[in-house]
Amino acid sequence: MNLAELAVFLRSRRDRVRPSDVGLPTGPRRRVPGLRREEVAQLAGLSADYYTELERGGDVQPSAQVLAALARALRLGGDERDHLFHLADRPVPTVARGSNAHAQPALLGLLDRLTTTPAQIITDLHETLVQNELAAALVGRAPTRRGAAGSFVHRWFTDPGSRTVYPTEDHQQHSRAFVADLRAVAARRGRDTEVAGMVADLRRRSEEFAALWDIHDVALRRTDHKRIVHPTLGVVEVDCHTLFSEDGRQRLLWFSAPPGTEGAAQLELLSVIGTQDMTADDETTPAC
């Protein structure tokens, strides 16, 4: 483990991130152009003392989880993230090598600015990567798993409990939309073993999926009007908007409702209710 080089690298990346990049105020008394140490610690969910020791090259042994949190807080690119793991003498997780392992910095920067509306970043296979507090309050905390187990599309066709987030009468509509979207993603990715494996597994495990797949409908999910079943607010009608990353592998979603509607009033209540009343577990969290 190269603690000295790790410390230098962390300081250089911290100096590069502007407060506005992560939704923090600039302020007239700021002495450094980048983030303060305590701000990085807060963004990464670490104590300020622990992070300070890292930057000082102290005898600290950061875990893979800590390194991943720092990579997100410092908005590291893929090569930078791998370099961080190498400096800490930790194996780079296999999932961290793919473009979907971490939210892309451009989308993450936009998410940081969406403080008054539910928003989250998902992969093209509907794995939730990161969400703001309002999104967690609306649809529940995102699962921490990756791959098929973390894909809401996969759970939709293999776990009946995942469907409780939408009214029963809307299930058929969502099934068609999920399959059409997955077929569009499969075409975009080309000879991709991850998508091919998921499709093969779903065809084997779900007759509904197999029947819909054979229809050959193709349509990326861009903007949806949907009804979400919330344990406290009841059925919330929202519009789900989508912004795609340049490579199409990730999507920034945000939920809104027209002013003056019941849905708009319910979204206003989310900041008051928070996540304390959420009873849906991470198995039912939809990715839109």
Side-chain angles (χ1 to χ4, degrees):
M1 180 178 292
N2 193 335
L3 294 175
E5 186 63 26
L6 176 64
V8 172
F9 183 64
L10 287 173
R11 288 196 297 270
S12 70
R13 300 305 89 182
R14 174 168 63 87
D15 291 341
R16 185 188 62 175
V17 182
R18 298 296 182 264
S20 58
D21 294 337
V22 293
L24 295 174
T26 302
R29 296 185 179 181
R30 185 173 289 273
R31 297 178 181 177
V32 295
L35 298 178
R36 301 186 179 102
R37 286 174 176 171
E38 58 269 24
E39 291 171 336
V40 175
Q42 180 182 2
L43 291 169
L46 307 174
S47 72
D49 289 342
Y50 182 89
Y51 180 74
T52 298
E53 280 301 302
L54 279 175
E55 276 207 9
R56 288 176 176 172
D59 188 16
V60 184
Q61 305 290 322
S63 66
Q65 291 79 9
V66 167
L67 295 173
L70 287 172
R72 291 191 295 270
L74 294 171
R75 302 299 192 260
L76 301 187
D79 292 335
E80 292 174 319
R81 183 181 59 247
D82 289 358
H83 184 60
L84 180 67
F85 274 82
H86 290 314
L87 290 176
D89 197 23
R90 300 288 184 188
V92 178
T94 302
V95 294
R97 298 183 186 276
S99 62
N100 286 336
H102 295 277
Q104 295 184 15
L107 296 185
L108 200 54
L110 289 173
L111 178 67
D112 288 336
R113 288 163 172 76
L114 294 174
T115 58
T116 60
T117 188
Q120 56 191 22
I121 298 173
I122 69 170
T123 72
D124 54 356
L125 297 183
H126 295 255
E127 304 165 72
T128 302
L129 299 177
V130 62
Q131 58 186 173
N132 64 18
E133 287 301 313
L134 287 176
L138 178 63
V139 299
R141 291 288 178 188
T144 57
R145 295 173 296 172
R146 291 290 174 257
S151 167
F152 186 69
V153 172
H154 189 274
R155 296 200 307 274
W156 178 264
F157 291 101
T158 59
D159 176 15
S162 67
R163 300 192 174 199
T164 58
V165 72
Y166 296 129
T168 303
E169 56 270 27
D170 296 348
H171 288 180
Q172 186 177 15
Q173 165 198 337
H174 287 294
S175 292
R176 291 196 302 268
F178 280 135
V179 174
D181 183 83
L182 183 58
R183 183 172 280 282
V185 169
R188 277 189 170 190
R189 287 205 187 187
R191 296 171 181 252
D192 185 281
T193 56
E194 184 181 19
V195 179
M198 179 179 291
V199 170
D201 184 58
L202 288 175
R203 286 181 65 89
R204 177 175 57 84
R205 299 177 60 179
S206 170
E207 293 182 3
E208 179 190 19
F209 177 87
L212 290 172
W213 187 261
D214 289 340
I215 295 175
H216 290 268
D217 284 346
V218 181
L220 289 171
R221 298 195 82 166
R222 290 186 171 86
T223 299
D224 281 329
H225 181 79
K226 57 177 55 183
R227 301 188 299 165
I228 296 172
V229 179
H230 188 277
T232 301
L233 300 176
V235 177
V236 183
E237 290 199 38
V238 294
D239 294 316
C240 181
H241 311 276
T242 305
L243 176 65
F244 292 80
S245 63
E246 186 175 356
D247 63 3
R249 298 287 290 266
Q250 294 185 10
R251 308 170 184 186
L252 171 64
L253 312 177
W254 68 98
F255 303 87
S256 67
T261 63
E262 183 180 4
Q266 289 170 311
L267 291 181
E268 286 287 334
L269 286 175
L270 280 177
S271 59
V272 179
I273 295 174
T275 59
Q276 60 183 353
D277 291 333
M278 290 301 300
T279 58
D281 59 26
D282 63 12
E283 298 299 316
T284 59
T285 303
C288 196

